[in-house]
Amino acid sequence: MPSKIFSYNRSLFVQNVRNIGWIGIVHLLLLFAAIPLRILMIYTNQKRDYSPVFHNVFEFSNVFQGMIAFTVPVLLAIFLFRYMQMKRSADYMHSLPLRRETLFFQQMTFGALMLVIPVLATVLLTALLCQLPLENMHISAADLVRWTAEMLLMELFVFSASVWVGMFTGISVLQGAFAYILFLFPAGISVLILMNMRYVLSGFAADYYLSANLERIVPFFRFVELADKPLASFEMARYALAIVVCYLLSIWLYKQRHSEAAGQAIAFPVLQPVFSFGVTFCFMLVGGLYFGETQRSLGWILFGYVTFSLVGFFIASAIIEKTWRIFHRWKEYAVFIVAIVVIGSLVRFDITGYEKRQPALSDIQRVYFGESVYQFERQTEKQYISYVQSDQFLQTTQNIKNVYAFHRQLIEDRPTSFAFGENTRQVVIGYVLKNGEKMVRMYSIPINEYKPFYEAIMESREYKHNYYLLLQDNVSPIRQITLRAEEKTVQIADPKQIESFIAVLKTELKEEPFTEMISPTNDWGTIELLQGDGDQMQLSWKKSYARIDAWLKQHDLLSKARITADDIQYAIVVKNDARTPLYNLVENPTFVKELETRTDVLRITDKKQLEECLQKASSYKTESRYIIAFYRTAHAEPEWHVIDEEALPSFIREQLP
């Protein structure tokens, strides 16, 4: 009997070589093209001016190596266990005088050889080629060992995982699809759940959790990173453990699986509801996320949930039943809807107290206030310091109290995290506690309703000092100032004038209201500050900076620095009751041509009034009830702007009510 079993084993091995051995050959050829051939190409072209530098083997066609590692093992798993997916082949293989464990072990061993042998052959050939006189090739024996170990580990992981998911289906195409879904599922489902949590939990900071390098749990992305960051010991242990677990689970499922499962979408009937509800749930989340991000309306979000869940349930049921006639399964969908409503209600009613949670004021070391969670998550990293820093940590007692009170009000109001609009702003509030713990919340709120809170925080001395780099003590001295407004440019290089101008500018920044700091504003142009160390700062030259205008006028520089009333022949103001976007009106030749001959417009020639209009005109907004066209002396076409009703000069309101 042993000799007979050995004969079957040998015959099975030979059969595998004939039917599946081509995958091993393709694997070897692909690896050869990715690494040894690349080295030969570099060697023959090294006399050129530029030659890339390589410090490890993964730097050779890194993405291509990743495609090999995540394609060949999946194909190998599909073809190696292809017999399971066909009833006749499954019956034949299982009729052999071999235990299922033995048969499974032999197939897995053959698959492992198809991966190991090409990798070893490639690394040996690479080691020989590394002996060539290549100037920019810095690959040591340790690098070759590392590549061999990590490449085999990743390929064996992909192979074992692909075999494992293959036990759940009787269709080879689905085995491949399930394998890639498995590799993306942890990150994908995390993104879907976290993004949808914003719609039911007020203050839920999805971006904070999504910024925690979710791509690291996607094996392919981690493979691409191997060129710069080797696998840590715990990562190698994790992948090795996953290989063992997949092998043990696969062999257990293989023993439990019936031959009749061949051709079935889901091999185990008990798992069909899991598959059906899982697909439905994922589709539901996708639908809610799509309409939530595009429409930002609760009604559309619910529509997305219902519509996409129906589509997902239909697709899953059609796959299981192999027919589109699945309407008799409506009771299963009803069960799913009831379960989702119950779970959603529990989350919405905040049974965990997430929305109302707030640390004790005495436990707070410092608070975080801004628009993004980026700086909060990376507070220990050295960040690029921009001229304007809206996201910052505050630690004075008064500002901690101000932010705390703001958060308390938001807890009571329960605003959403996904509202949007012209006057809506995202606010992130975070706490760093004295014991090292952190807490963060994110809201989208209408600015005007919380104006007192913004004023108390953003107009404080600490916030302004952190917000504007120019107000900080470590700024290098300024050696040149450049003001740019359209075609006009003025440079200030005199040290005394620079000192005087900077003093005025700092006063403007210190006394600037928070509305000018956070909302789109009107500006003349830019102010560029060239520092002594060569760095340059650039900020908006806002029209609200009246002291800057006065300084320029005092030094006879105003007309040289920006457009003034002296540059304007006249201006025409026209009402736009339909609030048609400005760019649509300007592109209408009839509107432009007839503007000067219309009787329902206001023509302005008074220099004082023209200067006031220049101050109030905005180029940031495109929709307003009042549109103004400035006709300049040396320009054939007018310059178009809008004027907000709130900023409308009184003389215009009187003549064009």
Side-chain angles (χ1 to χ4, degrees):
M1 183 64 68
S3 59
K4 188 175 183 180
I5 293 176
F6 176 77
S7 176
Y8 279 112
N9 286 337
R10 185 178 60 183
S11 300
L12 185 61
F13 181 84
V14 172
Q15 188 68 20
N16 281 336
V17 172
R18 292 176 179 174
N19 294 338
I20 310 171
W22 62 272
I23 295 181
I25 297 174
V26 170
H27 188 202
L28 178 61
L29 293 176
L30 290 174
L31 289 176
F32 175 80
I35 303 171
L37 182 60
R38 183 82 173 99
I39 295 176
L40 289 173
M41 293 167 63
I42 294 171
Y43 176 70
T44 56
N45 295 327
Q46 65 177 338
K47 292 184 179 180
R48 295 184 178 180
D49 295 337
Y50 171 76
S51 179
V53 180
F54 295 95
H55 298 92
N56 62 71
V57 185
F58 283 106
E59 292 181 354
F60 294 99
S61 308
N62 180 243
V63 175
F64 184 45
Q65 288 190 52
M67 294 175 62
I68 297 171
F70 284 85
T71 303
V72 172
V74 174
L75 291 175
L76 184 60
I78 292 174
F79 282 96
L80 199 57
F81 290 91
R82 170 72 176 153
Y83 67 88
M84 290 194 314
Q85 322 299 18
M86 296 181 291
K87 180 74 166 56
R88 183 176 299 178
S89 299
D91 289 338
Y92 171 75
M93 293 294 289
H94 295 151
S95 67
L96 297 176
L98 296 172
R99 297 177 61 187
R100 282 203 174 193
E101 298 93 320
T102 305
L103 179 59
F104 181 83
F105 176 78
Q106 181 158 331
Q107 295 296 89
M108 290 293 288
T109 302
F110 182 83
L113 290 175
M114 292 296 98
L115 299 176
V116 173
I117 293 176
V119 170
L120 293 180
T122 301
V123 76
L124 290 175
L125 183 56
T126 302
L128 292 175
L129 293 176
C130 285
Q131 305 304 314
L132 294 173
L134 295 169
E135 295 181 0
N136 295 327
M137 193 79 64
H138 308 290
I139 297 177
S140 63
D143 294 322
L144 294 173
V145 172
R146 176 208 154 197
W147 179 85
T148 305
E150 293 181 351
M151 189 70 175
L152 286 177
L153 194 63
M154 296 297 287
E155 288 196 343
L156 290 174
F157 163 73
V158 174
F159 173 65
S160 59
S162 301
V163 172
W164 176 60
V165 298
M167 299 300 157
F168 294 102
T169 180
I171 301 176
S172 297
V173 173
L174 286 182
Q175 180 180 357
F178 287 170
Y180 289 110
I181 290 174
L182 174 65
F183 300 141
L184 297 173
F185 182 78
I189 195 65
S190 297
V191 171
L192 288 175
I193 291 176
L194 290 173
M195 293 294 286
N196 278 274
M197 286 291 286
R198 301 177 305 159
Y199 306 143
V200 291
L201 271 184
S202 175
F204 187 78
D207 293 353
Y208 174 71
Y209 302 100
L210 291 175
S211 64
N213 295 323
L214 276 179
E215 67 275 5
R216 290 290 180 88
I217 63 178
V218 178
F220 179 79
F221 294 147
R222 183 64 187 95
F223 185 95
V224 174
E225 289 183 339
L226 291 178
D228 302 313
K229 186 177 181 180
L231 288 176
S233 299
F234 76 92
E235 289 182 295
M236 299 186 73
R238 188 171 60 189
Y239 279 111
L241 179 62
I243 294 172
V244 174
V245 170
C246 286
Y247 175 82
L248 295 177
L249 290 175
S250 298
I251 195 170
W252 180 77
L253 291 171
Y254 185 72
K255 291 167 62 177
Q256 305 299 321
R257 178 181 167 126
H258 299 295
S259 298
E260 292 76 13
Q264 299 297 319
I266 304 300
F268 300 95
V270 70
L271 295 179
Q272 290 182 359
V274 177
F275 173 77
S276 178
F277 291 154
V279 173
T280 305
F281 180 67
C282 290
F283 266 77
M284 182 194 75
L285 294 180
V286 170
L289 180 60
Y290 173 76
F291 286 101
E293 294 303 302
T294 56
Q295 302 299 321
R296 302 295 181 99
S297 166
L298 183 59
W300 279 107
I301 293 172
L302 294 176
F303 172 79
Y305 284 150
V306 174
T307 305
F308 275 63
S309 64
L310 277 170
V311 172
F313 183 79
F314 180 86
I315 293 175
S317 299
I319 291 175
I320 293 174
E321 299 287 344
K322 296 182 179 180
T323 177
W324 59 269
R325 298 177 180 178
I326 47 87
F327 300 102
H328 62 281
R329 303 186 64 172
W330 65 270
K331 292 182 179 179
E332 294 181 27
Y333 181 74
V335 171
F336 172 81
I337 290 296
V338 171
I340 290 298
V341 169
V342 171
I343 296 173
S345 299
L346 292 175
V347 176
R348 179 58 183 158
F349 291 131
D350 192 24
I351 60 174
T352 63
Y354 177 89
E355 293 183 353
K356 298 180 179 180
R357 193 171 301 138
Q358 193 176 23
L361 192 59
S362 59
D363 295 335
I364 300 174
Q365 181 181 13
R366 56 178 178 163
V367 295
Y368 177 85
F369 185 81
E371 296 180 89
S372 169
V373 298
Y374 182 81
Q375 296 291 350
F376 182 76
E377 172 64 18
R378 292 159 176 80
Q379 56 180 306
T380 58
E381 299 178 15
K382 184 178 180 180
Q383 299 295 325
Y384 167 74
I385 300 177
S386 62
Y387 175 74
V388 173
Q389 187 65 48
S390 59
D391 303 325
Q392 53 183 273
F393 287 92
L394 305 171
Q395 50 191 9
T396 61
T397 302
Q398 187 58 48
N399 268 332
I400 290 177
K401 290 181 179 179
N402 291 338
V403 174
Y404 193 86
F406 193 1
H407 186 204
R408 172 52 56 187
Q409 186 63 48
L410 293 174
I411 290 175
E412 294 179 4
D413 297 343
R414 296 188 70 185
T416 65
S417 302
F418 59 92
F420 77 108
E422 184 177 348
N423 294 315
T424 301
R425 176 182 170 92
Q426 183 170 278
V427 58
V428 177
I429 294 176
Y431 301 100
V432 177
L433 306 184
K434 294 177 181 178
N435 61 5
E437 294 182 1
K438 295 184 293 185
M439 174 181 167
V440 63
R441 295 292 186 267
M442 179 187 295
Y443 305 90
S444 291
I445 59 176
I447 299 174
N448 294 335
E449 294 183 15
Y450 298 94
K451 184 177 179 180
F453 295 100
Y454 275 112
E455 287 179 343
I457 298 169
M458 298 187 67
E459 294 182 10
S460 67
R461 181 178 179 181
E462 180 189 20
Y463 189 91
K464 284 282 187 73
H465 183 82
N466 295 336
Y467 186 82
Y468 286 116
L469 180 61
L470 185 62
L471 298 180
Q472 298 179 15
D473 299 329
N474 57 350
V475 177
S476 178
I478 307 300
R479 60 184 174 92
Q480 180 177 292
I481 300 172
T482 304
L483 294 96
R484 303 183 190 275
E486 296 189 19
E487 74 277 5
K488 295 190 176 185
T489 301
V490 166
Q491 289 186 341
I492 303 172
D494 180 77
K496 291 184 178 180
Q497 288 188 342
I498 290 176
E499 182 180 359
S500 175
F501 183 91
I502 294 299
V504 173
L505 179 57
K506 286 184 176 181
T507 302
E508 291 283 12
L509 299 181
K510 290 176 181 178
E511 298 186 10
E512 185 177 27
F514 89 95
T515 52
E516 288 290 331
M517 297 168 65
I518 66 175
S519 301
T521 57
N522 307 327
D523 60 37
W524 299 114
T526 60
I527 301 175
E528 299 174 3
L529 307 176
L530 181 61
Q531 299 174 254
D533 58 6
D535 290 341
Q536 180 174 288
M537 289 187 288
Q538 180 173 297
L539 63 151
S540 296
W541 178 8
K542 299 177 183 178
K543 293 184 178 181
S544 60
Y545 293 168
R547 294 178 183 86
I548 297 294
D549 273 15
W551 188 95
L552 291 171
K553 188 174 183 180
Q554 179 184 351
H555 291 79
D556 297 324
L557 295 174
L558 184 62
S559 60
K560 299 177 182 178
R562 69 166 176 85
I563 298 173
T564 65
D566 294 333
D567 299 310
I568 308 297
Q569 281 187 312
Y570 61 92
I572 296 178
V573 180
V574 60
K575 291 181 67 175
N576 178 28
D577 291 326
R579 297 184 184 275
T580 304
L582 179 61
Y583 52 83
N584 287 342
L585 293 175
V586 173
E587 291 177 357
N588 184 351
T590 303
F591 172 82
V592 176
K593 183 178 180 179
E594 296 178 353
L595 183 63
E596 294 193 62
T597 60
R598 288 173 57 171
T599 59
D600 59 342
V601 301
L602 175 62
R603 189 183 184 96
I604 305 171
T605 57
D606 183 80
K607 295 300 182 181
K608 185 177 180 180
Q609 292 180 346
L610 285 172
E611 182 64 32
E612 186 176 358
C613 289
L614 283 172
Q615 292 281 352
K616 303 298 183 181
S618 172
S619 58
Y620 280 83
K621 296 182 179 180
T622 59
E623 296 182 12
S624 177
R625 193 182 176 194
Y626 293 89
I627 295 174
I628 184 168
F630 292 103
Y631 291 81
R632 298 179 60 181
T633 306
H635 290 71
E637 298 294 330
E639 293 184 5
W640 298 90
H641 298 270
V642 300
I643 302 180
D644 285 337
E645 287 191 70
E646 297 178 357
L648 191 68
S650 59
F651 69 89
I652 296 179
R653 192 182 303 276
E654 292 172 358
Q655 300 183 58
L656 287 179

